Amino acid sequence: MSDARVDRETVRAEEIAAEQRYLNVLYGKLDDLRAETTQRLKDTLRDSGGPPQARTERDISTRMYTDKLTQLSAVEHGMCFGRLDLDGGETFHVGRLGLFDEDNEYEPLLLDWRAPAARPFYLATAAARDDVQRRRHLKTSWRKVLDYEDEILDLDAAEQGSDLGLAGEATLLARLDARRTGEMQDIVSTIQAEQDRIIRAGMNGVLVVQGGPGTGKTAVALHRAAYLLYTFREQLSKRGVLVVGPNPTFLRYIGQVLPSLGETGVLLSTVGSLYPGIVATGTESARTAEIKGRQSMTDVLTAAVRDRQQVPRDGVEVTFDREPLHLRRKDATAARTRARRTRRPHNLARRVFQDEMFRALTLQVADRLGRELLDRRDLDEINTELRAEPAVTAALDELWPEMGPQVLLDELLSSPDRLATATAKPLDDDERDALLRPAGTPWTPADVPLLDELAELLGEDDAQQRADRERQEREELAYAQGVLHIMEQDEEIADEERLRVSDVLDAELLAERFRTSSDLTAAERAAEDRTWTFGHVIVDEAQELSEMAWRVLMRRCPSRSMTLVGDVAQTGAPAGARSWDEVLSPYVQDRWNLAELTVNYRTPTEIMDVAAEVLSDMDTDLEPPQSVRSTGNLPWAQQISREDLVSELPHAVSDELAEVPEGRLAVLMPPDLLAEIGPGLAEALPDAVIGTRSDDLESPAVLLTIDEAKGLEFDAVLLVQPEEVFAASDRGLNDLYVALTRATQRLGIVHSGDLPATLARSFE
């Protein structure tokens, strides 16, 4: 071994040892913070008594210390991942959270990756160093330093990485080549410049992130959520951040990313989970879902509501005070017109309708008794008696019933007559037949936007709840005034403390503290409240959402502070978007910004070449993203007869699993085929499961539809029957494009018929 090589290895060992000593200091600080926070939490929990103010402060402190402990635990692995050496001689380490030396004027020990001072770690280049001499990427395993990679940002130095300008190229490629685990990993240590610019973009307005397969769209979206919560903590902690994904499998896949970044106050949801109390587990045809997703369904639902606002054809007779009383058509028509003109939601306008009808009925009774003999007090008494008469109220309820969204939608979709009346204009007979289903059918994800729309159209007559709430607030204010009076009169309170109480805490503020003390975060409260509006909304796979789903999300974010992430070339849903302008123009016109991700970190060149052929046949001007790596594994295709799929596929799956030991394989196929052969295939392969349970993605092999695989990634993909995927819908090319770009290492195709022409070109 040459002396030069020995010297290099000695220097490297010394550098690793130095980094290990510093890492020990950081973890010692982390342990101290955990111990201190744990003790404070224990002390807080022991204090179970005291006046309401003390209990309120205890609840707030409990939540604060619990959240702090969660954050400190989440950053244990990979807490420190980099170092910046600057021109002035300063050295800063970068990690998942900020740590400071309280004994040395709060000098930073570790920069939070979201802090402005840490940004050069992601943006500095040889051409624009930003005072950075060296950028070091640390490779650690829990609390041990294993290795490092240095980048000397000097124009006179040797070549600095690839022509794509990758920061920490060796570290990045090592991460990309690592086996999948069934859970998405954060990219905080390898964020690239184009990703960083999007992550740190301002919070106001709508930002659209268009990116092809493997460009890190999802990772960017989640890191953006963490960055916004760090930078705009005060605003967002009150309203929360909503992250919307395409399906529950996807949410499970990304579920650990934000906790690993120290953030737990984010609500992860699908559109189908945004209606409290509804679990949308039902299934339906793609055509039915597409019809439900149309904007024209608002007209259908409006008509369905108006259909419940009736007038009697020939009048209705009821008995009051042993005499007949008539609900006349002309009175009901006038009352309905008056109620509709208020433009209030159905259940709120109902009160106007009833007031008008009771007024008309009161005059009927008065005419029978002799109206000229009655004064205003007599009329009021008659009105009150009418409102207490069950027969009268039941008859009026028939004309204008109080309705809930679930009851109304279930009755609408299960009644041919009601559906025909409501859909007379927007839908034809075939479309109405597609919507019809038996009463009590489980809700589907496409039903949720309809329920949300109906909730807006129907409203909730909460007059009694408001009255109860106002009474409770008056009682709380009176109680708070009494508490403050006692505190001010307490002779044991020192003068300076009495001054603080009277100057800083008034009765209204104290009452507000009583009301807001809760163990729920903003995200948890939002999950229980349909009318909650979020501080920021992030939508992944945004191109898949229907027009009705967009109405739901825009109601959740009236400020239009949104990040929309997707790729219109991967739109698979029939009701999905064909362009971003089509999606956004009804809400913000052209007032939205577009950012593009152009580098493919996931899909190797060999696979992307096949996918690019599919993209070229689509009606789009999008260019395929440029892959950063190749694996040498050429995609393959094998033809098997339809009858032999069940017997031959297990061999193909076993062969692919052998090529990715300890990796993850996805077998993707059309839904009908999965239902047909999936159970037999899973039984024949002890390492394979059908992707329906929460831990399925951790299995060596998982059987999924392409829709279920959207947004996920695997070491290897086996695509079965692409010809059926292509022919299944007018967006078959989009589905093929999605399926081909889920793999990080290997791609195989098994088919019975002829390959679609767009694929055949790659396997000639």
Side-chain angles (χ1 to χ4, degrees):
M1 184 182 297
S2 67
D3 291 341
R5 182 175 178 183
V6 171
D7 289 343
R8 286 196 301 270
E9 292 185 355
T10 300
V11 169
R12 193 167 196 85
E14 291 174 350
E15 287 290 314
I16 291 175
E19 294 292 357
Q20 183 65 62
R21 288 192 293 272
Y22 195 83
L23 195 65
N24 293 342
V25 172
L26 294 179
Y27 275 106
K29 181 66 176 177
L30 181 68
D31 291 339
D32 290 343
L33 286 173
R34 281 178 181 163
E36 179 184 344
T37 306
T38 300
Q39 187 58 51
R40 289 184 176 182
L41 178 60
K42 290 179 179 178
D43 293 343
T44 301
L45 293 175
R46 286 195 195 100
D47 185 13
S48 59
Q53 181 188 5
R55 294 198 299 270
T56 298
E57 293 176 352
R58 181 201 65 204
D59 292 342
I60 294 172
S61 297
T62 298
R63 164 60 67 179
M64 179 180 67
Y65 293 139
T66 301
D67 286 348
K68 185 66 174 177
L69 274 178
T70 301
Q71 292 172 343
L72 294 175
S73 298
V75 301
E76 171 71 29
H77 184 51
M79 179 177 67
C80 176
F81 51 77
R83 190 179 97 185
L84 288 172
D85 295 352
L86 306 184
D87 287 342
E90 302 103 325
T91 296
F92 295 105
H93 282 75
V94 181
R96 297 175 180 274
L97 82 168
L99 295 176
F100 301 90
D101 184 358
E102 294 91 342
D103 298 330
N104 191 17
E105 298 182 351
Y106 282 86
E107 281 290 318
L109 297 173
L110 183 65
L111 289 179
D112 191 301
W113 67 274
R114 297 166 288 189
R119 196 170 191 190
F121 185 78
Y122 302 108
L123 295 185
T125 65
R129 296 193 299 112
D130 200 11
D131 295 331
V132 177
Q133 284 189 351
R134 174 170 57 183
R135 173 170 47 213
R136 171 169 289 180
H137 295 264
L138 296 175
K139 181 181 179 181
T140 63
S141 177
W142 297 102
R143 298 191 173 198
K144 183 178 181 181
V145 178
L146 302 179
D147 205 350
Y148 65 87
E149 175 202 359
D150 277 349
E151 294 176 275
I152 308 301
L153 303 184
D154 186 341
L155 288 174
D156 297 326
E159 181 182 352
Q160 298 296 314
S162 72
D163 60 355
L164 294 174
L166 301 178
E169 182 174 5
T171 302
L172 173 63
L173 293 179
R175 287 287 302 271
L176 297 177
D177 287 333
R179 295 291 183 240
R180 306 302 102 177
T181 64
E183 290 183 346
M184 182 179 178
Q185 304 300 309
D186 65 69
I187 61 167
V188 64
S189 62
T190 57
I191 293 171
Q192 299 300 304
E194 70 171 7
Q195 297 173 327
D196 184 82
R197 283 189 286 270
I198 294 170
I199 290 170
R200 297 177 192 263
M203 189 177 73
N204 295 330
V206 176
L207 175 64
V208 175
V209 182
Q210 164 68 40
T215 54
K217 298 184 298 296
T218 299
V220 166
L222 296 174
H223 288 68
R224 177 160 169 74
Y227 170 77
L228 292 176
L229 283 165
Y230 173 85
T231 307
F232 304 99
R233 178 77 63 183
E234 184 175 353
Q235 300 99 303
L236 294 180
S237 62
K238 297 176 183 177
R239 302 309 309 172
V241 173
L242 171 65
V243 175
V244 178
N247 53 57
T249 303
F250 175 83
L251 294 183
R252 290 192 291 268
Y253 178 64
I254 68 172
Q256 292 304 309
V257 174
L258 283 166
S260 75
L261 297 173
E263 295 296 347
T264 57
V266 177
L267 178 62
L268 301 179
S269 179
T270 64
V271 172
S273 302
L274 283 178
Y275 197 98
I278 293 296
V279 180
T281 58
T283 59
E284 60 195 349
S285 70
R287 174 171 167 75
T288 301
E290 184 272 327
I291 296 170
K292 290 179 179 179
R294 296 176 190 172
Q295 174 80 21
S296 58
M297 285 301 295
T298 59
D299 297 329
V300 172
L301 299 177
T302 299
V305 172
R306 292 174 69 88
D307 188 42
R308 298 309 182 95
Q309 301 165 0
Q310 302 176 6
V311 296
R313 183 180 300 275
D314 301 315
V316 174
E317 182 178 294
V318 295
T319 300
F320 173 71
D321 199 19
R322 300 181 181 179
E323 296 287 339
L325 198 61
H326 298 281
L327 277 65
R328 296 182 296 227
R329 180 179 178 82
K330 68 173 185 178
D331 294 333
T333 300
R336 183 176 69 176
T337 300
R338 177 74 178 272
R340 286 178 173 176
R341 284 177 177 172
T342 66
R343 298 187 179 277
R344 297 176 185 173
H346 171 89
N347 288 331
L348 276 64
R350 175 175 177 268
R351 176 172 296 187
V352 177
F353 174 81
Q354 289 192 328
D355 287 345
E356 290 296 309
M357 288 302 297
F358 279 122
R359 186 181 66 82
L361 294 173
T362 297
L363 294 180
Q364 274 193 52
V365 176
D367 288 339
R368 191 169 63 202
L369 298 176
R371 191 191 306 186
E372 67 279 0
L373 302 176
L374 305 176
D375 58 19
R376 170 54 58 186
R377 186 170 58 182
D378 296 326
L379 295 177
D380 289 344
E381 288 179 358
I382 294 172
N383 191 293
T384 300
E385 291 175 5
L386 283 168
R387 290 176 184 272
E389 176 56 50
V392 175
T393 57
L396 292 181
D397 285 342
E398 285 291 321
L399 298 180
W400 194 301
E402 184 172 9
M403 297 287 292
Q406 290 114 297
V407 172
L408 180 53
L409 186 60
D410 189 53
E411 291 182 357
L412 173 67
L413 297 181
S414 62
S415 169
D417 292 338
R418 290 196 181 279
L419 196 57
T421 301
T423 61
K425 291 182 181 179
L427 303 180
D428 59 29
D429 290 343
D430 289 341
E431 290 168 330
R432 281 191 284 274
D433 289 342
L435 290 178
L436 276 172
R437 66 189 192 192
T441 297
W443 299 115
T444 70
D447 287 327
V448 170
L450 305 185
L451 291 170
D452 200 75
E453 191 75 25
L454 280 174
E456 294 292 313
L457 292 171
L458 293 173
E460 181 181 0
D461 189 355
D462 59 352
Q464 185 59 50
Q465 292 95 315
R466 289 200 310 273
D468 293 342
R469 185 165 59 249
E470 290 171 0
R471 184 186 70 254
Q472 181 179 355
E473 289 177 358
R474 288 194 299 270
E475 293 174 353
E476 289 170 347
L477 180 60
Y479 183 80
Q481 289 170 335
V483 169
L484 287 180
H485 178 72
I486 293 172
M487 294 173 66
E488 295 291 353
Q489 300 302 314
D490 192 340
E491 296 182 356
E492 295 183 2
I493 298 180
D495 290 341
E496 61 271 16
E497 210 170 303
R498 184 178 297 120
L499 178 64
R500 178 177 59 80
V501 169
S502 60
D503 285 353
V504 177
L505 189 64
D506 60 20
E508 290 186 358
L509 178 59
L510 182 57
E512 178 66 20
R513 288 186 180 179
F514 294 158
R515 287 192 293 272
T516 59
S517 63
S518 171
D519 287 338
L520 299 179
T521 65
E524 290 166 337
R525 295 197 301 274
E528 300 175 358
D529 184 355
R530 190 196 68 82
T531 63
W532 188 275
T533 57
F534 291 86
H536 193 80
V537 171
I538 295 175
V539 186
D540 201 0
E541 302 292 345
Q543 78 279 354
E544 298 297 329
L545 298 186
S546 68
E547 292 173 319
M548 291 301 294
W550 280 113
R551 290 176 65 85
V552 175
L553 293 181
M554 292 299 174
R555 279 195 285 269
R556 299 297 190 275
C557 192
S559 68
R560 303 295 189 261
S561 176
M562 308 178 82
T563 302
L564 313 179
V565 180
D567 179 13
V568 290
Q570 297 186 62
T571 303
R578 299 185 184 274
S579 74
W580 295 118
D581 185 65
E582 172 188 278
V583 167
L584 295 173
S585 58
Y587 303 102
V588 294
Q589 289 79 47
D590 61 352
R591 299 189 303 274
W592 53 276
N593 295 313
L594 176 67
E596 294 189 72
L597 293 169
T598 61
V599 180
N600 188 332
Y601 303 98
R602 175 177 67 221
T603 317
T605 303
E606 294 86 351
I607 296 177
M608 199 62 215
D609 287 344
V610 178
E613 286 291 332
V614 176
L615 181 63
S616 68
D617 285 351
M618 293 185 197
D619 183 18
T620 177
D621 57 0
L622 294 173
E623 294 291 329
Q626 187 173 358
S627 297
V628 303
R629 76 199 218 284
S630 62
T631 61
N633 299 319
L634 293 177
W636 56 268
Q638 179 182 2
Q639 190 166 19
I640 301 175
S641 69
R642 191 70 158 73
E643 295 75 17
D644 293 336
L645 280 177
V646 174
S647 60
E648 294 297 326
L649 267 179
H651 300 299
V653 172
S654 298
D655 291 344
E656 285 301 298
L657 284 175
E659 294 291 338
V660 286
E662 300 182 3
R664 301 292 182 270
L665 166 70
V667 183
L668 306 182
M669 62 185 74
D672 292 344
L673 183 62
L674 180 60
E676 177 186 341
I677 72 171
L681 187 58
E683 186 175 344
L685 287 163
D687 291 331
V689 297
I690 298 176
T692 56
R693 299 187 302 272
S694 60
D695 58 348
D696 287 338
L697 295 181
E698 298 178 7
S699 300
V702 59
L703 282 58
L704 299 167
T705 66
I706 295 172
D707 184 61
E708 291 170 334
K710 191 175 290 291
L712 310 182
E713 61 181 39
F714 306 89
D715 297 286
V717 165
L718 194 60
L719 174 59
V720 183
Q721 298 298 76
E723 65 272 30
E724 294 182 21
V725 173
F726 175 74
S729 73
D730 61 354
R731 294 194 172 177
L733 280 174
N734 303 66
D735 290 335
L736 284 179
Y737 188 60
V738 171
L740 295 172
T741 54
R742 298 305 96 199
T744 66
Q745 302 290 335
R746 297 178 58 83
L747 170 68
I749 297 175
V750 174
H751 59 104
S752 298
D754 293 334
L755 284 175
T758 190
L759 285 179
R761 294 196 298 267
S762 297
F763 295 96
E764 292 175 347

